[in-house]
Amino acid sequence: MDRRAFLTAATAGLLLPQTATPAAAARTLRSDPFTLGVASGDPSADGFVLWTRLAPDPLAGDGRGGMPARDVDVDWQVSADERFSKIVRSGTATARSRDAHSVHVELDGLEPGREYFYRFRSEGRLSPAARTRTTPAGETPLNFAVAACAHYEHGYYTAYRRLAEQEPDLVVFLGDYMYEYGPSGYTALAGRVRTHTPGKCETLADYRLRHAQYKSDHDLQAAHAVAPWLVAFDDHEVENNWAGPVSSTNAPGFTTRRTHAFRAYYENMPLRRASLQGAVLRVNRRISWGTLARFHLLDTRQFRDDQACLDGVRAGCDDRLASGRTLLGSDQWRWLESGLRGSTTRWNLLGQQIMMAQRDYKVGPGREVNLDSWDGYAAERTRLLGSLAGTENPVVLTGDAHMHHLAELKTDFDDPDSPVVAKELIASSIASDGDGYRDRTWIAEALQENPHISFIDQRRGYLMARLTRDELSVDYRTLDYISRRGAQAKTAHRLTIPATTGPAAAGRAGAPRVG
């Protein structure tokens, strides 16, 4: 098949295991071990990470995917063409029982700026094939998607399918890949479309099983098969609104629970081994797309202070303004500051989890803010926005809100004349909160209370963007429903952010052109 046919088959879930492979060992597993698909991530100029996890029975209650308690060899191939007639690298990795039979292959030595195709073979079975790519050496344009928040019970993953059909070069996923609640632990207005595995996630087996349930979805597998991903967690990969070492529910044993969640997250994501740093799972990192752009991925959970004033959406919480409160932690703050100052790329994209713009939820006099967002850490936000003011073409990419937003970031949100230092592009959810809607009265009131926010859409969806030297073009993609399959995606809002001529230019990211 040609490239177009390959991608069509991949996004349709048609690239099933086949026997036309190098000579295989006799099968000892009774069924296909590649039920969770394959994935790639963290691309560089000469490589990327390849991932799979063996699970012939993905919903086995012990979280081990139906695998025997022994290590298993897994062969892998990387090809320059979709027919696998031009194998450029191959090898064997070990899927270890202690790691839930997950495999992470870190490739280097490949050519920059080109696509590759990969697959795995184990126990006489062949995995689906998928596409990935290395980053370019120069200012090659980039097509990328931004997504977040995919509660399995709230709807089908049609948005993943539509994202895959647009064939991005890169997918940036900004948290809440899976949810820890038990069945109906968090319900959408339209109710439950699908059912979580039993119980809320607390043990390592719980988290492994929940990841396997999510990864079993063919629409999600299609999105992984079409491009490399950059992933970072938010709260629900562990527990709702956790903060550093603090549980939001004050449940005993949270440190152990978080360790289990981190381990299962690594086992199920295309992350590099460098992410594993003792008790820390490091997801803050930088990925450069040649000289065009640098992605600075942040961790807004693991190193933060506890939420002020008992969390929630509240008015009158002066503690949130304290100068010493941190969201990023001192080490990550220094890492980010150094990366912004030292960046030599044309664009700088911050991928992070929670709304950075000030957001007043109260209509009329007074103000109510979400203390779990950057509004709960206002002084550090002001310092960060000051740093962005001196950064070349910064744009902030955000998840969490379950609604599309377009916001202007200012060092002083209460001063209409305060300069705009960056745009914040907030992606709605893939599935969380179920079928979306358009409450025009509510939207109009929210925009009036927050004049620095110019667009809100409550439907499910994702962002599709094209980045060049001169501009960033963004489509806010939405689906009218996810409670049943088959919805089409459409562009609800479109804007273009022109590049500026230098880091000190007025109007930092320019005035967006809206279509």
Side-chain angles (χ1 to χ4, degrees):
M1 63 179 73
D2 61 17
R3 178 181 175 279
R4 172 65 65 175
F6 173 91
L7 292 172
T8 300
T11 58
L14 299 178
L15 289 179
L16 301 177
Q18 49 191 301
T19 57
T21 66
R27 294 178 179 176
T28 60
L29 299 177
R30 283 185 270 180
S31 57
D32 175 24
F34 295 106
T35 60
L36 306 183
V38 300
S40 66
D42 281 16
S44 65
D46 69 343
F48 32 72
V49 180
L50 303 181
W51 171 92
T52 194
R53 178 184 163 201
L54 306 182
D57 182 7
L59 300 187
D62 62 1
R64 294 184 174 275
M67 287 294 292
R70 60 178 174 84
D71 296 347
V72 177
D73 285 343
V74 179
D75 299 328
W76 53 268
Q77 293 178 324
V78 175
S79 174
D81 73 320
E82 59 274 11
R83 294 176 178 272
F84 287 85
S85 63
K86 301 176 182 178
I87 304 297
V88 295
R89 296 288 295 277
S90 63
T92 300
T94 301
R96 301 191 183 280
S97 175
R98 71 187 184 206
D99 299 326
H101 293 95
S102 61
V103 172
H104 297 75
V105 179
E106 298 185 23
L107 273 295
D108 57 18
L110 299 174
E111 296 180 18
R114 65 156 299 154
E115 66 180 14
Y116 289 93
F117 301 86
Y118 65 96
R119 63 187 179 186
F120 297 89
R121 179 174 59 83
S122 185
E123 302 282 308
R125 308 264 184 176
L126 184 66
S127 78
R131 179 183 74 157
T132 189
R133 64 175 55 248
T134 53
T135 61
E139 285 192 344
T140 302
L142 167 65
N143 296 316
F144 69 96
V146 181
C149 305
H151 196 299
Y152 183 87
E153 291 193 333
H154 289 181
Y156 295 109
Y157 286 166
T158 313
Y160 279 138
R161 175 72 58 181
R162 301 296 172 246
L163 182 159
E165 289 168 351
Q166 293 196 251
E167 301 179 17
D169 301 318
L170 184 71
V171 177
V172 182
F173 194 89
L174 297 175
D176 294 346
Y177 185 93
M178 54 78 75
Y179 281 69
E180 83 286 10
Y181 297 107
S184 296
Y186 163 25
T187 57
L189 289 176
R192 190 171 70 187
V193 175
R194 305 187 283 188
T195 302
H196 267 159
T197 53
K200 69 177 181 180
C201 294
E202 296 182 315
T203 68
L204 178 58
D206 292 336
Y207 284 104
R208 284 171 167 172
L209 180 57
R210 187 63 57 79
H211 274 286
Q213 181 180 44
Y214 278 56
K215 273 287 200 313
S216 297
D217 186 277
H218 290 295
D219 293 333
L220 173 55
Q221 290 182 16
H224 275 299
V226 79
W229 284 39
L230 303 181
V231 298
F233 53 70
D234 189 15
D235 55 338
H236 289 290
E237 289 89 348
V238 180
E239 176 193 74
N240 179 51
N241 282 23
W242 65 281
V246 180
S247 165
S248 62
T249 61
N250 296 314
F254 177 70
T255 299
T256 299
R257 183 183 181 191
R258 190 181 70 170
T259 299
H260 292 328
F262 282 176
R263 180 172 174 181
Y265 186 82
Y266 173 77
E267 289 172 348
N268 286 278
M269 293 294 164
L271 291 168
R272 295 182 183 273
R273 286 183 294 273
S275 297
L276 298 173
Q277 299 185 0
V280 171
L281 180 61
R282 183 171 179 176
V283 293
N284 62 294
R285 59 207 190 277
R286 281 186 278 272
I287 306 292
S288 292
W289 192 264
T291 58
L292 179 68
R294 174 172 285 184
F295 289 87
H296 309 258
L297 270 70
L298 304 186
D299 178 344
T300 58
R301 285 288 157 195
Q302 198 170 181
F303 311 113
R304 66 155 72 188
D305 291 332
D306 195 8
Q307 293 92 344
C309 302
L310 302 179
D311 203 358
V313 177
R314 299 181 184 274
C317 178
D318 291 339
D319 289 351
R320 74 183 183 90
L321 306 174
S323 61
R325 287 181 55 73
T326 183
L327 185 68
L328 301 179
S330 57
D331 289 345
Q332 185 177 193
W333 174 264
R334 287 191 292 269
W335 169 86
L336 178 58
E337 281 272 273
S338 174
L340 293 176
R341 287 196 307 268
S343 177
T344 58
T345 57
R346 178 70 165 167
W347 295 83
N348 286 275
L349 308 176
L350 270 67
Q352 56 99 49
Q353 293 72 40
I354 52 175
M355 187 177 292
M356 189 172 291
Q358 180 174 282
R359 176 74 159 81
D360 182 4
Y361 288 83
K362 183 175 177 13
V363 176
R367 176 179 297 156
E368 292 180 350
V369 299
N370 180 4
L371 299 173
D372 187 58
S373 73
W374 279 91
D375 275 329
Y377 305 81
E380 186 166 87
R381 174 178 62 191
T382 298
R383 292 193 296 273
L384 174 54
L385 294 178
S387 296
L388 292 182
T391 299
E392 184 83 2
N393 295 308
V395 177
V396 176
L397 309 173
T398 302
D400 183 62
H402 301 182
M403 301 180 193
H404 284 318
H405 289 72
L406 169 61
E408 294 179 332
L409 297 177
K410 302 182 175 186
T411 53
D412 185 350
F413 288 99
D414 296 324
D415 178 4
D417 297 324
S418 180
V420 177
V421 301
K423 301 295 188 296
E424 182 176 18
L425 312 177
I426 303 173
S428 186
S429 61
I430 291 292
S432 301
D433 283 339
D435 283 344
Y437 52 92
R438 286 279 289 162
D439 186 335
R440 297 185 183 279
T441 299
W442 184 93
I443 292 172
E445 291 174 342
L447 295 179
Q448 184 174 4
E449 289 294 327
N450 300 275
H452 53 282
I453 299 176
S454 59
F455 173 71
I456 298 175
D457 194 303
Q458 298 146 310
R459 289 170 291 189
R460 308 286 73 81
Y462 56 94
L463 305 182
M464 187 62 64
R466 179 170 176 78
L467 186 64
T468 68
R469 172 178 175 80
D470 297 325
E471 62 185 27
L472 172 63
S473 302
V474 183
D475 286 356
Y476 284 80
R477 304 285 283 171
T478 59
L479 289 78
D480 287 336
Y481 57 87
I482 58 168
S483 57
R484 60 190 190 278
R485 299 185 187 276
Q488 295 303 307
K490 56 190 176 184
T491 297
H493 191 68
R494 178 173 291 156
L495 74 147
T496 300
I497 302 172
T500 58
T501 56
R508 167 55 39 224
R513 300 195 299 272
V514 178

